Amino acid sequence: MKLKDTYPLYLNNKAEQPNTDLAVTDKYTGDIAFRTALATPDVIEEAIAGAVRATEPMAKLASYEKQDVLLHCVARFKERFDELAYALCVEAGKPIKDAEGEVTRLIDTFRIAAEELVRNYGEVQPLDISARAKGYMGMWKRVPIGPCSFISPFNFPLNLAAHKIAPAIAMGCPFVMKPASKTPLGAIIMGEVLAECDVLPEGAFSILPASRDGADLFTTDERLKLLSFTGSPGVGWDLKAKAGKKKVILELGGNAAVVIDKDADLDDALERVVFGAFYQSGQSCIGVQRILIHAAIYDRFKAMLVEKTKTLVAGDPKDRDTFIGPMISEDEATRLKGWIDEAVQAGATLLCGGGLSRGNMLEATLLENVPEGAKARDEEAFGPLAILGRFDDFDAVLNEVNNSRFGLQAGIFTRNLFQMFDAWDRLDVGGIVINDVPSYRVDNMPYGGVKDSGLGREGIRFAMEDMSEIRNLIVRRG
């Protein structure tokens, strides 16, 4: 399979090729894979103006018309499955099996949105709760919030864009999207498919690769009523500070912990923990970073984990045997290599990995005895690194999970029902996964974090609620 040499941006539903200024590399070879147009501030301004013009006609679309658009996308994504997976493999360096899994989730997300939009109910509410309200009744419904701004990251270029685009269409909100400059092609292909839908009014969508410096309008323009950003905490909270009066949804980082209690099925936990720590080279905000193991099984599970990690195949992501592919850039790989070396110098033990080759191929790495204050422990690694810790008291290990400025998801391997509920009550995270890793997500569930991990929730129904406002109708009878 071969990609095109150049790709357009999408401005007010139409493909435009004002330039070919953005060169996107094959993350494994480093060669330029294709070029795409880069949106300038005047193009972004035109897109926002188009979204404003499309606000009323988008809101007037019937449910069946929006559902037809989403189901068209589902059908076309299935037809273009191999192309979408290959594009991910090239532009993101994602191993082909992981890339195919992400295309499946893209299809699921649009299908779920098509189902949820016809369940967008309101409510009839009795208001006669006291004598002064006798004869009054109320009703409310959800209406589109208006033009939305979306900024998506490089690590899941299809699925994380889909979690913004699909609910916007379902709710009837026009949008402008900035995909990550390192991985714009997935969103561009989504734009190509949406452009086939004549029912969408002009201005319903714009897909605009843009430099970070030139994209301030995505955040600051007051005509946009919602900003949804997925990316790093530093960038996300800075954007929120600049966003003005618009609603802001932030899906940010994490250094997720998984607890392996003494009653866990160790063979099952091993398979899931290795996957959670190292799939797509650890570049996931809910990837396993902290592995907390009960003292009674610590040595045994550590030995199993090191042995399994050493067997992971690293190499060309286009090879179906590859599990560890390249990191997104040499800079990111060098950063994380520096964190590993820093932790070792501070007293941590390197159990396996730690090597860097080809510029951005970092080995799957396990550390233990990492001291508090080391970046490898306290910050988001966002790469193929996990650290081991020991515990002998379940209450104490819950406190250790909470000992982080992040709070996205956590995993607990236990068969103890009471401990499961204790974790649910006490862990300061957005979601707890029992007998699996924190890296698990299904696309219809509420998803998001607390503390520095974000603000608000994704998941189609929950995103639709964020992209809407409640409009009341109050009736006085008699």
Side-chain angles (χ1 to χ4, degrees):
M1 185 171 290
K2 190 177 186 302
L3 301 177
K4 299 176 186 176
D5 293 331
T6 60
Y7 289 88
L9 53 75
Y10 279 82
L11 174 61
N12 294 329
N13 306 34
K14 296 184 176 70
E16 302 282 352
Q17 194 77 62
N19 56 62
T20 55
D21 289 351
L22 180 60
V24 180
T25 60
D26 179 314
K27 299 306 182 291
Y28 182 69
T29 67
D31 298 332
I32 294 176
F34 60 88
R35 292 180 177 272
T36 188
L38 198 63
T40 54
D42 60 310
V43 171
I44 299 170
E45 159 64 34
E46 190 175 346
I48 295 171
V52 171
R53 292 193 299 270
T55 299
E56 185 175 347
M58 275 292 285
K60 287 182 177 179
L61 287 178
S63 293
Y64 80 88
E65 292 175 306
K66 294 181 290 186
Q67 189 174 59
D68 284 349
V69 171
L70 292 165
L71 293 177
H72 170 80
C73 291
V74 168
R76 292 290 284 135
F77 295 155
K78 288 179 178 178
E79 292 170 1
R80 301 179 69 170
F81 187 99
D82 290 341
E83 176 191 0
L84 286 160
Y86 182 75
L88 263 181
C89 190
V90 171
E91 70 170 352
K94 188 172 297 225
I96 188 63
K97 291 181 181 178
D98 289 340
E100 290 169 347
E102 185 171 344
V103 180
T104 300
R105 291 184 62 192
L106 164 71
I107 293 166
D108 281 349
T109 301
F110 273 77
R111 176 181 55 79
I112 295 163
E115 296 166 352
E116 286 292 342
L117 79 89
V118 294
R119 295 194 285 264
N120 184 27
Y121 306 135
E123 188 173 314
V124 176
Q125 182 180 18
L127 299 180
D128 51 353
I129 60 171
S130 64
R132 73 179 184 85
K134 185 176 182 179
Y136 285 84
M137 65 173 292
M139 292 171 279
W140 61 263
K141 65 178 180 178
R142 291 193 176 275
V143 297
I145 198 171
C148 296
S149 173
F150 301 146
I151 302 175
S152 60
F154 72 80
N155 59 325
F156 286 89
L158 291 176
N159 189 250
L160 295 180
H163 271 280
K164 304 178 193 304
I165 292 173
I169 294 169
M171 199 61 236
C173 294
F175 67 87
V176 294
M177 164 163 277
K178 177 192 176 301
S181 297
K182 289 182 172 66
T183 57
L185 184 51
I188 291 171
I189 293 175
M190 280 188 258
E192 185 177 337
V193 170
L194 286 172
E196 299 167 351
C197 300
D198 293 337
V199 70
L200 291 175
E202 183 180 351
F205 71 93
S206 293
I207 310 289
L208 306 174
S211 66
R212 183 179 295 180
D213 293 340
D216 282 351
L217 289 173
F218 282 93
T219 303
T220 59
D221 196 294
E222 293 186 357
R223 293 169 294 178
L224 298 167
K225 304 304 178 186
L226 176 141
L227 169 65
S228 178
F229 170 85
T230 305
S232 69
V235 175
W237 294 115
D238 182 59
L239 294 181
K240 182 179 181 295
K242 297 177 180 178
K245 298 177 182 178
K246 64 177 64 63
K247 185 184 289 188
V248 177
I249 303 167
L250 300 176
E251 298 296 339
L252 306 176
N255 59 357
V258 62
V259 174
I260 316 297
D261 205 5
K262 59 185 176 182
D263 64 348
D265 179 332
L266 297 191
D267 291 329
D268 176 61
L270 175 68
E271 293 296 323
R272 296 305 296 158
V273 168
V274 169
F275 170 81
F278 300 121
Y279 79 108
Q280 68 173 55
S281 297
Q283 295 171 118
S284 169
C285 51
I286 45 176
V288 171
Q289 185 169 334
R290 295 180 290 152
I291 306 169
L292 304 171
I293 308 164
H294 194 283
I297 58 168
Y298 183 87
D299 291 336
R300 179 183 170 197
F301 193 72
K302 179 179 77 169
M304 293 168 65
L305 194 57
V306 171
E307 181 181 3
K308 180 70 174 178
T309 300
K310 287 179 177 179
T311 69
L312 298 178
V313 177
D316 188 340
K318 303 175 193 69
D319 186 333
R320 300 195 72 82
D321 292 330
T322 294
F323 188 85
I324 299 283
M327 290 186 66
I328 194 66
S329 69
E330 290 189 17
D331 287 347
E332 283 298 297
T334 301
R335 169 194 60 79
L336 188 53
K337 167 65 172 168
W339 289 13
I340 294 166
D341 294 343
E342 173 193 70
V344 171
Q345 290 168 7
T349 301
L350 178 66
L351 298 176
C352 64
L356 179 62
S357 62
R358 294 177 60 95
N360 63 344
M361 291 291 295
L362 185 63
E363 293 175 340
T365 303
L366 293 172
L367 297 172
E368 68 175 345
N369 303 319
V370 178
E372 192 165 352
K375 292 186 179 70
R377 179 190 180 282
D378 295 350
E379 302 299 327
E380 179 182 34
F382 216 70
L385 167 67
I387 65 172
L388 279 62
R390 184 191 308 255
F391 75 93
D392 55 19
D393 178 78
F394 194 77
D395 286 341
V397 82
L398 295 184
N399 292 334
E400 179 59 24
V401 173
N402 282 338
N403 184 22
S404 170
R405 66 187 181 93
F406 299 108
L408 197 44
Q409 294 199 150
I412 311 283
F413 282 84
T414 182
R415 300 182 184 188
N416 186 314
L417 182 64
F418 297 101
Q419 291 184 167
M420 179 187 79
F421 282 108
D422 281 346
W424 197 14
D425 286 342
R426 291 177 50 194
L427 290 183
D428 195 11
V429 296
I432 297 102
V433 187
I434 301 298
N435 289 322
D436 209 341
V437 288
S439 322
Y440 190 74
R441 178 184 180 185
V442 181
D443 295 298
N444 62 339
M445 75 184 211
Y447 172 79
V450 297
K451 300 190 282 189
D452 274 4
S453 287
L455 184 69
R457 292 293 180 270
E458 286 188 345
I460 298 301
R461 179 164 66 87
F462 308 94
M464 287 175 64
E465 290 174 359
D466 278 329
M467 293 176 190
S468 66
E469 297 173 322
I470 290 176
R471 183 172 295 166
N472 276 317
L473 176 67
I474 299 169
V475 179
R476 183 185 183 193
R477 296 176 294 176

